[in-house]
Amino acid sequence: MRAAVCRRYGPPEVVQLEELAAPTIQEGMDDRVLVRVRCASINPFDLHYRRGYLPVRFENGWTKPKQHVLGIDVAGTVEAVGQAVTRFKPGQAVFGHCLGSHAEFVRARESTLGQLPSNLDFEQAAVVPCAALTALQALRDVARVQPGHRVLISGASGGVGHFAVQLAHHFGAEVTAVTSTSNLAWVKALGADELYDYTRQDFTRNGGKYDVILVAAGRRSYFSSKRSLNERGIFISESPKPEYQLLQVAISALLGDQHPKMHLAQPNQKDIDLIRELLQAGRIKPVIEKVYPLAEIAAAHRHLETGRTKGKLAIAVQK
Ligand SMILES: NC(=O)c1ccc[n+]([C@@H]2O[C@H](COP(=O)([O-])OP(=O)(O)OC[C@H]3O[C@@H](n4cnc5c(N)ncnc54)[C@H](OP(=O)(O)O)[C@@H]3O)[C@@H](O)[C@H]2O)c1
């Protein structure tokens, strides 16, 4: 199979197309599903793994990566299933989370896949899982957003942010979105009640108090935002550096301050199914800035690396 392979840490050019043996479902992999990948997406996760960001090397190898094929979102058709799989059969269209979707075939766990929503094509479905699950779990589980809460999403035009705006609106919150000038109109259309253009205004200086501040993208610390939280306010940062989140939470906890919270998304069947229902009902929808063919994966890495992507980037793998 064709796969985008990363054999050393480094710049986007280290990712090269290679022919590899396709994965198979071997003994002991009874809950696995082999997916023929139609489309994938690219996430900041892929950039961290490709660059060999220090904490990644603990798990993925100090000098060179153990995981050669990146990609954690997938949409495609089921090619084969393990003996214990009950929800899927060959030929069925699916989407979800896996590791190694920048290739023509990938093996996923049954519990991290869902049926393809009937109103989405493979490209649209492939860009959803990681970003939407992250936004969902941050708002629902960590921030416990309730109807009427004032929720501010900074980085509202990015992968996580544009789902966060739609989900906060779905939960009945009053949504304030922070983005730059060229994104204001389409982010408003996602359900934002109020907008801040961060190139002209600083939301921490408007005197507003929020129940939740979710920094979905862009560098903004808890310490520079805390004046904008109300008494029970929760601050969550989807920082590219989890140790930076941890540091802010730890320092605050030492000072008796419980406002900032840690968050790491966990793919699971219940939430994939919920995301599918919300897509199917039109409550959330993905925005795709560009689709790259697998052969141009390095260009997709360069694009995401700018930190200016509008919504998501899709990777077209097979027709
Ligand atoms: N905790 C988890 O489990 C988890 C899971 C997934 C992702 N993440 C993390 O979440 C973060 C966001 O991921 P993503 O996929 O949403 O990133 P992304 O799509 O690359 O974010 C790009 C967006 O960020 C906006 N942005 C950049 N600087 C900004 C600023 N100063 N203020 C407001 N917006 C700004 C850009 O809008 P403009 O062009 O208008 O600047 C652009 O639309 C990453 O750090 C990622 O590592 C965490």
Side-chain angles (χ1 to χ4, degrees):
M1 67 168 183
R2 273 183 335 137
V5 178
C6 179
R7 295 208 179 270
R8 61 190 173 90
Y9 296 122
E13 294 67 37
V14 300
V15 189
Q16 302 273 339
L17 279 198
E18 283 186 23
E19 277 298 321
L20 296 183
T24 53
I25 297 182
Q26 293 156 15
E27 217 177 300
M29 297 183 175
D30 294 350
D31 68 336
R32 305 300 162 92
V33 176
L34 183 64
V35 180
R36 175 184 287 270
V37 181
R38 297 288 299 273
C39 203
S41 84
I42 181 165
N43 287 285
F45 168 95
D46 300 306
L47 307 186
H48 302 328
Y49 268 68
R50 189 207 74 227
R51 289 174 184 144
Y53 166 50
L54 208 59
V56 162
R57 294 191 188 218
F58 278 103
E59 173 202 343
N60 198 36
W62 272 109
T63 54
K64 54 185 182 178
K66 293 183 203 153
Q67 176 68 31
H68 294 138
V69 183
L70 303 176
I72 51 172
D73 286 330
V74 69
T77 50
V78 174
E79 189 73 8
V81 296
Q83 285 177 358
V85 171
T86 55
R87 297 163 59 233
F88 304 111
K89 52 181 193 249
Q92 205 169 346
V94 292
F95 80 120
H97 168 88
C98 60
L99 186 53
S101 62
H102 293 169
E104 289 180 322
F105 292 91
V106 69
R107 212 169 30 216
R109 286 180 193 278
E110 178 182 29
S111 61
T112 59
L113 292 177
Q115 216 182 312
L116 191 83
S118 60
N119 54 340
L120 264 58
D121 60 24
F122 288 111
E123 273 171 14
Q124 292 169 311
V127 302
V128 175
C130 172
L133 283 171
T134 303
L136 172 72
Q137 293 174 1
L139 293 172
R140 182 197 59 190
D141 303 339
V142 184
R144 299 177 187 274
V145 170
Q146 302 295 320
H149 272 175
R150 298 192 74 213
V151 175
L152 181 136
I153 316 281
S154 185
S157 50
V160 174
H162 87 292
F163 285 116
V165 170
Q166 297 176 76
L167 286 162
H169 177 71
H170 169 69
F171 291 142
E174 193 185 305
V175 184
T176 299
V178 180
T179 184
S180 67
T181 320
S182 67
N183 293 315
L184 293 170
W186 73 267
V187 169
K188 178 157 184 52
L190 298 177
D193 300 289
E194 195 179 3
L195 288 126
Y196 278 92
D197 179 343
Y198 74 81
T199 65
R200 293 160 195 226
Q201 301 156 294
D202 178 352
F203 73 83
T204 64
R205 308 210 172 266
N206 69 2
K209 298 278 184 196
Y210 299 92
D211 296 286
V212 179
I213 294 177
L214 172 62
V215 179
R219 289 171 196 278
R220 179 167 274 284
S221 72
Y222 166 63
F223 303 107
S224 71
S225 319
K226 66 186 213 178
R227 79 178 81 150
S228 299
L229 283 174
N230 65 23
E231 265 174 33
R232 67 157 294 280
I234 301 287
F235 175 90
I236 304 167
S237 167
E238 299 296 350
S239 162
K241 302 196 168 164
E243 72 277 12
Y244 178 64
Q245 279 185 51
L246 185 62
L247 194 65
Q248 294 184 73
V249 172
I251 293 173
S252 305
L254 282 174
L255 300 171
D257 178 350
Q258 305 293 324
H259 296 282
K261 303 283 182 200
M262 279 293 292
H263 169 240
L264 268 184
Q266 296 294 335
N268 62 72
Q269 186 182 325
K270 194 170 99 321
D271 287 347
I272 295 268
D273 287 345
L274 175 60
I275 294 284
R276 180 181 179 278
E277 279 170 33
L278 294 171
L279 289 164
Q280 188 89 37
R283 306 305 303 231
I284 58 170
K285 60 175 186 195
V287 171
I288 298 178
E289 182 180 349
K290 187 164 176 179
V291 183
Y292 286 91
L294 184 63
E296 291 173 24
I297 187 77
H301 276 256
R302 279 192 292 272
H303 186 151
L304 192 67
E305 214 156 53
T306 63
R308 307 303 305 272
T309 303
K310 295 180 193 309
K312 291 289 304 176
L313 302 176
I315 310 294
V317 178
Q318 295 193 65
K319 290 255 182 257

